[in-house]
Amino acid sequence: MATPELERILARHRRDPLQLLQILIEVQAREAWLAPATLSAIADALGVPRARVESTASFYSFLHTRPAGEFRILFSDNITDRMLGNQALMKSLCDKLWLEPGKVSEDGLVSVDTTSCTGMCDQGPAALANGRTITRLTPARIDEMAHLIRRRVPVGDWPPEWFHVDDNIRRRDVLLDHGLAPGNALAAALDRGPTGLLGEIERSGLRGRGGAGFGSDIKWRSCRDAWGDAHYVICNADEGEPGTFKDRVLLASHFDLVVDGMCIAGMAIGANKGFIYLRGEYRYLLDRLETRLAQRREQGLLGRNILGRGFSFDIEIHLGAGAYICGEESALIESLEGKPGKPRIRPPFPVTNGYRGQPSTVNNVETLALAALIAVHGGEWFRAIGTPASTGTKLLSVSGDVERPGIYEFPFGVTVAEVLEAAGARDTQAVTSAGAAGHCLAADEFDRRIAFEDVATGGSIMVFDHSRDMFEVARNFLHFFAHESCGFCTPCRVGTAVNARLMDKLAADRGSPYDLEEMARMHRLMQGASHCGLGNTATIALEDILAKFRPAFERRLHSPEYEPAFDLDAALTQARRMTGRDDAGAHLGDNREALAAERAHGQGNPASAEPASAKDLQP
Amino acid sequence: MNDSFLLDGEDIPFTPGQTVMQAATAAGKYIPHLCWHPDFAAHGSCKLCTVKIGGRFATACTVRASAGQEVENRTEELDAKRRTLLQLLFVEGNHFCPSCEKSGDCALQATAYEMGMLTPHFDHFYPDRPVDASHPDVLLEFNRCIMCELCVRASRDVDGKNVFALAGRGTKSHLIVNSESGQLADTDFAATDRAAEVCPVGVILKKRVGFAVPIGRRTYDLKPISAAGTEGEREDAADKTALREKEAG
């Protein structure tokens, strides 16, 4: 890399080690990969150990510490992308370019691989081309893409319609129909003042929309009461749960309400700085969001002395780089500080020891937007919507086997069946209620209600009709977790990998009931012993699918007893080739008659068999 | 002060601020652990010290002791989980105890004996982790790394050198050293560093002292880790080094 270029990037980030991830992302955007010398140069400039830079660079899926090709194509590999045919499309692209998945072409031109869910399940199959989102892949688009890559046409010059992302809003309620102008909610909150606002949030019963459902007023109050040099508001826009894309739509089309919500949170907890942690997969939104933040500063809706009311609050956007774990709030904060996204030991919690060790509140995009609504309409208004324990509405990202995939805003308490009806689902076999990390419901549970007290959800609703193989759904999820485990703790790091291997063993028709028991045992271990939510939830869907759709597993069982993962007879192939033997006695397996025949020919006892093999070795 | 909690039904005194692990260790009680060391801040990653407090799982090295806590430690349920965790660690790396210089001094091996682990149980992963023998005095046998980060903490917090770090993610996690070549010889690491003696398994090995203490007379050959470990790993390590140097002449 040209030194002046690196210098410009470093200077823009004030040579601050906490900006390390942002620096690496920007440097790679220019260099295609992070060479060893580049990492050394960055470490020198920031005055941090090189190993720390390498540690961060090697943690994130979208950062490359080895050459990755001039064109880097990543196919979104969520189960919904698979249902829409991503595997055949990827194979087709690889064939056309003479590539193996995961390997760079010999001329260094291109690499093709998979990535976790890109949040485009309503318009898949999706892919990232040099980090840019492409939706609605078709065989024709793949043909054209191979052509463009071979002619080295820069991704920026590819057909613009490929990069088009729709909102697909199917049902609007109080949030998506808010009708507020930018700053309205913020002004209302400033009128109420911090105490008044916190009272309204408490009255509203608002609970975090990320999935855990923690009371927002409690989080904000604890953060406000915590002593610190500075307080921070962090918007968790790392929407990584497979099958969810509601935050994408809020950021794309209701960004002002989200920013109002962040400012309001800042006022409530006594912060004047906020961060939006935007997942790397939503990089395409970044420039638009930055532009809007700049406009708001000009309009007096952000920055110093907002609305002339003496309140100052500004927002910085940080990009992620492909790591699901960064949705966990303490891992997100680590990532925000330029480190690998590994969850911290808790307590202490972020509300007292968050970003830079200071009190921080981490809220989901949707939660912040709802706080803005509450600032305007009041807590009582909000509380009247939904159920007593789950107030307000919930944005649901619906995808899979439905006629109308997209965003549905329903009051809490809606039944799963009503959601399926609205989305045009037919012949539904199963529904995942919270992506890969949540429960899986069978048809006899569709009258259950979506609410914290019944079917809890972060918003990812994936629908599977009877043509789908639920074993493959579970297998996709287990590979997802094995790929996304941060690796910090033993049960999750190794347990997710063991599970993925067991599922592959079953898929290869080498399974036995023993393997199912092994996965149940891993479930019991990981649920209690894992360090964070990822390991604790990684086997929930598996447990459900195993319990409710067991035939999908049982038809893959090869033997009623133990079955090894490898084929003993196949393992002898090389030995057979070396010895030039291919007679029945050189084979293992079920062929007992052949072995008996061998014995009858005098090769039965080891003493006589051994010289025979040794002789064969000497031609 | 008469603050105390119950560990497997026994009264354990503690001073405020101590973790369950610290208090138990001070009282001579053994809670299985690999990534915890009395001289370093808790890490909480190996999960061997998973105990049950009031019916909920928690790591003894990170949870503060509090009066009246009821802590389950050496129950069959918990030791069974620990056996599984150990098996996971064994199959994730390449651990060939009979040929390992650390055998008998290895906390992983000794804890496996203590927990009654008889087989690795799971299919081995057989990772490809080349040895780094570039340094004149020390070699790194990455095949045995269990990601405890004790060397990372010792090098950073005691030696002030930051020689080690973990890189990668998930099962691709691996130990790296602080040099562009990736070689230990190109760092400022020295055999006298605290980080050189802190590895609980056989990753960081001093050259030319191999088998100075014969197998059969090593730390955990003489007493199980439940008895040896609680006396404080630091003293043990110092004793061991002294003994080795004496025997090596």
Side-chain angles (χ1 to χ4, degrees):
Chain A
M1 147 164 289
T3 311
E5 191 73 69
L6 178 60
E7 279 301 321
R8 263 194 294 280
I9 293 170
L10 290 164
R12 194 163 59 250
H13 292 286
R14 311 173 298 276
R15 293 179 178 253
D16 181 354
L18 296 191
Q19 296 289 110
L20 175 59
L21 178 56
Q22 305 310 302
I23 292 167
L24 291 170
I25 291 170
E26 284 183 35
V27 171
Q28 181 178 280
R30 282 168 176 77
E31 288 284 287
W33 70 292
L34 299 162
T38 308
L39 297 182
S40 299
I42 293 171
D44 284 349
L46 300 183
V48 300
R50 187 190 183 283
R52 200 165 123 199
V53 175
E54 187 175 346
S55 191
T56 294
S58 62
F59 182 84
Y60 296 91
S61 288
F62 298 162
L63 297 180
H64 308 289
T65 50
R66 286 186 194 151
E70 198 178 313
F71 293 88
R72 301 171 302 283
I73 313 298
L74 292 171
F75 282 80
S76 181
D77 198 27
N78 184 30
I79 186 68
T80 55
D81 293 289
R82 287 203 170 191
M83 286 154 63
L84 293 163
N86 74 332
Q87 287 175 300
L89 293 171
M90 177 163 139
K91 182 174 186 309
S92 158
L93 183 63
C94 284
D95 288 350
K96 285 179 210 310
L97 295 169
W98 288 62
L99 279 177
E100 264 184 79
K103 289 190 181 161
V104 188
S105 60
E106 281 182 25
D107 58 0
L109 178 68
V110 53
S111 63
V112 173
D113 208 342
T114 57
T115 187
S116 299
C117 182
T118 54
M120 298 291 155
C121 315
D122 55 335
Q123 46 207 307
L128 300 171
N130 291 357
R132 291 193 58 186
T133 300
I134 299 178
T135 57
R136 296 184 193 79
L137 284 169
T138 59
R141 283 189 174 183
I142 292 294
D143 284 349
E144 175 73 9
M145 192 188 291
H147 193 58
L148 291 167
I149 291 170
R150 260 190 253 107
R151 284 178 23 231
R152 293 180 182 257
V153 176
V155 174
D157 296 336
W158 291 11
E161 65 271 20
W162 292 10
F163 305 99
H164 181 77
V165 177
D166 278 317
D167 276 354
N168 288 326
I169 293 173
R170 311 288 185 180
R171 187 183 192 280
R172 293 170 191 273
D173 209 300
V174 291
L175 174 55
L176 296 177
D177 237 352
H178 59 85
L180 297 170
N184 278 2
L186 180 48
L190 287 167
D191 288 344
R192 293 185 192 275
T195 315
L197 178 81
L198 282 167
E200 293 305 325
I201 298 288
E202 184 182 352
R203 266 188 285 286
S204 74
L206 177 65
R207 297 170 68 171
R209 268 21 181 192
F214 196 74
S216 300
D217 62 307
I218 302 171
K219 189 184 270 188
W220 285 9
R221 279 212 170 97
S222 333
C223 189
R224 180 182 177 79
D225 294 343
W227 182 89
D229 297 328
H231 287 56
Y232 296 98
V233 173
I234 300 165
C235 171
N236 183 347
D238 190 58
E239 181 173 51
E241 189 59 54
T244 181
F245 44 88
K246 63 175 181 81
D247 293 342
R248 178 196 93 205
V249 172
L250 283 176
L251 292 167
S253 300
H254 299 272
F255 187 53
D256 274 291
L257 198 67
V258 177
V259 175
D260 272 9
M262 285 183 74
C263 295
I264 287 167
M267 184 202 75
I269 68 164
N272 47 36
K273 174 91 186 190
F275 294 97
I276 297 173
Y277 187 92
L278 183 68
R279 69 190 305 233
E281 290 84 345
Y282 294 169
R283 167 70 182 80
Y284 74 98
L285 287 170
L286 180 65
D287 299 336
R288 225 196 297 171
L289 303 187
E290 291 278 20
T291 304
R292 184 59 202 134
L293 289 181
Q295 288 167 346
R296 281 185 65 119
R297 282 182 203 111
E298 281 169 27
Q299 294 162 348
L301 294 174
L302 192 67
R304 300 183 67 82
N305 193 18
I306 291 173
L307 291 165
R309 306 277 293 267
F311 170 59
S312 294
F313 186 84
D314 213 333
I315 292 173
E316 215 173 279
I317 303 178
H318 274 225
L319 264 182
Y324 168 77
I325 185 60
C326 291
E328 197 278 344
E329 60 177 4
S330 68
L332 185 151
I333 291 170
E334 287 284 295
S335 183
L336 207 55
E337 293 179 352
K339 293 180 261 180
K342 296 187 185 180
R344 294 175 174 177
I345 291 170
R346 297 183 303 173
F349 293 93
V351 285
T352 57
N353 295 62
Y355 181 66
R356 291 174 177 267
Q358 301 301 317
S360 308
T361 163
V362 184
N363 288 114
N364 183 262
V365 176
E366 187 181 350
T367 317
L368 292 164
L370 290 170
L373 287 194
I374 294 164
V376 174
H377 302 292
E380 291 301 335
W381 166 84
F382 191 81
R383 200 183 191 100
I385 308 163
T387 75
S390 309
T391 57
T393 63
K394 181 78 193 88
L395 296 188
L396 303 174
S397 319
V398 183
S399 62
D401 293 314
V402 294
E403 268 174 32
R404 296 172 293 278
I407 299 296
Y408 293 78
E409 185 185 6
F410 275 105
F412 269 123
V414 65
T415 64
V416 175
E418 286 169 311
V419 175
L420 291 174
E421 170 73 25
R426 285 204 188 89
D427 192 31
T428 304
Q429 178 183 199
V431 171
T432 54
S433 62
H439 287 284
C440 182
L441 308 176
D444 60 348
E445 300 168 280
F446 293 168
D447 57 347
R448 290 180 61 184
R449 296 186 181 279
I450 290 176
F452 293 108
E453 64 272 27
D454 191 2
V455 176
T457 181
S460 166
I461 305 287
M462 296 190 280
V463 181
F464 306 92
D465 70 20
H466 278 95
S467 72
R468 306 299 177 183
D469 183 347
M470 293 311 288
F471 170 84
E472 286 300 339
V473 174
R475 186 168 164 231
N476 177 270
F477 290 173
L478 291 186
H479 276 279
F480 166 76
F481 287 117
H483 186 261
E484 296 298 340
S485 167
C486 81
F488 175 77
C489 75
T490 312
C492 179
R493 180 181 69 242
V494 197
T496 52
V498 164
N499 275 338
R501 282 158 191 250
L502 287 170
M503 289 300 272
D504 286 349
K505 184 183 171 188
L506 262 74
D509 289 327
R510 300 197 63 82
S512 69
Y514 177 86
D515 298 306
L516 304 185
E517 176 47 41
E518 284 286 272
M519 288 192 279
R521 179 173 136 165
M522 207 51 69
H523 171 70
R524 292 191 294 273
L525 175 74
M526 288 171 64
Q527 276 234 304
S530 295
H531 183 68
C532 80
L534 192 150
N536 278 300
T537 58
T539 51
I540 291 178
L542 171 70
E543 274 293 289
D544 278 358
I545 296 173
L546 249 173
K548 298 170 189 176
F549 305 96
R550 200 170 175 93
F553 289 74
E554 282 176 342
R555 69 170 167 265
R556 291 181 157 85
L557 304 184
H558 175 82
S559 138
E561 287 160 30
Y562 175 74
E563 185 67 26
F566 62 95
D567 182 339
L568 275 171
D569 187 59
L572 287 175
T573 308
Q574 197 179 9
R576 277 193 293 269
R577 211 165 44 231
M578 285 170 68
T579 56
R581 279 182 63 178
D582 199 24
D583 56 285
H587 285 271
L588 287 169
D590 300 326
N591 202 343
R592 288 170 197 279
E593 295 84 356
L595 287 171
E598 286 295 317
R599 285 199 191 92
H601 282 88
Q603 294 185 356
N605 72 68
S608 64
E610 211 156 317
S613 325
K615 190 187 72 192
D616 285 343
L617 275 172
Q618 296 159 354
Chain B
M1 291 293 286
N2 55 357
D3 278 345
S4 70
F5 63 91
L6 285 176
L7 182 73
D8 288 336
E10 271 188 77
D11 237 8
I12 305 291
F14 70 93
T15 50
Q18 270 187 324
T19 59
V20 168
M21 178 71 89
Q22 286 169 329
T25 305
K29 299 294 166 200
Y30 172 67
I31 299 177
H33 60 272
L34 289 172
C35 73
W36 182 76
H37 188 292
D39 295 351
F40 298 98
H43 198 239
S45 66
C46 77
K47 302 296 171 191
L48 260 291
C49 73
T50 299
V51 292
K52 248 180 169 176
I53 302 177
R56 293 174 66 95
F57 295 105
T59 42
C61 71
T62 62
V63 172
R64 296 231 180 276
S66 72
Q69 263 171 341
E70 288 183 31
V71 182
E72 288 176 48
N73 175 30
R74 298 301 302 273
T75 64
E76 183 41 43
E77 181 200 17
L78 289 165
D79 279 357
K81 283 190 192 300
R82 291 169 181 145
R83 259 195 306 280
T84 307
L85 288 169
L86 287 161
Q87 286 165 329
L88 293 178
L89 286 170
F90 268 94
V91 302
E92 178 197 28
N94 297 311
H95 297 272
F96 306 111
C97 296
S99 68
C100 179
E101 151 62 12
K102 190 81 172 186
S103 192
D105 285 333
C106 170
L108 179 69
Q109 181 193 47
T111 309
Y113 277 125
E114 180 74 36
M115 294 300 121
M117 183 188 128
L118 298 176
T119 71
H121 184 84
F122 300 101
D123 288 343
H124 284 275
F125 289 14
Y126 297 119
D128 181 16
R129 300 177 181 171
V131 171
D132 176 358
S134 63
H135 194 278
D137 301 322
V138 170
L139 69 86
L140 298 178
E141 186 12 321
F142 294 108
N143 285 300
R144 300 161 186 163
C145 183
I146 56 169
M147 322 288 162
C148 71
E149 293 200 33
L150 273 170
C151 59
V152 177
R153 288 176 273 165
S155 184
R156 182 190 62 211
D157 302 340
V158 180
D159 305 325
K161 289 187 178 178
N162 286 294
V163 171
F164 300 102
L166 277 194
R169 186 171 90 198
T171 49
K172 288 182 182 153
S173 297
H174 60 283
L175 192 63
I176 56 166
V177 300
N178 192 37
S179 67
E180 193 174 305
S181 65
Q183 302 259 288
L184 189 65
D186 296 328
T187 70
D188 53 355
F189 188 72
T192 50
D193 285 358
R194 184 74 205 279
E197 64 180 52
V198 78
C199 181
V201 290
V203 177
I204 304 176
L205 294 173
K206 286 183 190 166
K207 291 182 177 175
R208 295 176 294 277
V209 295
F211 297 94
V213 178
I215 286 175
R217 291 172 52 195
R218 297 182 172 189
T219 315
Y220 307 120
D221 296 331
L222 303 176
K223 45 187 175 179
I225 194 166
S226 54
T230 52
E231 288 168 19
E233 274 104 38
R234 185 176 197 166
E235 285 73 23
D236 267 11
D239 291 350
K240 221 158 49 199
T241 309
L243 182 61
R244 238 182 223 171
E245 277 159 8
K246 200 171 125 197
E247 302 221 359

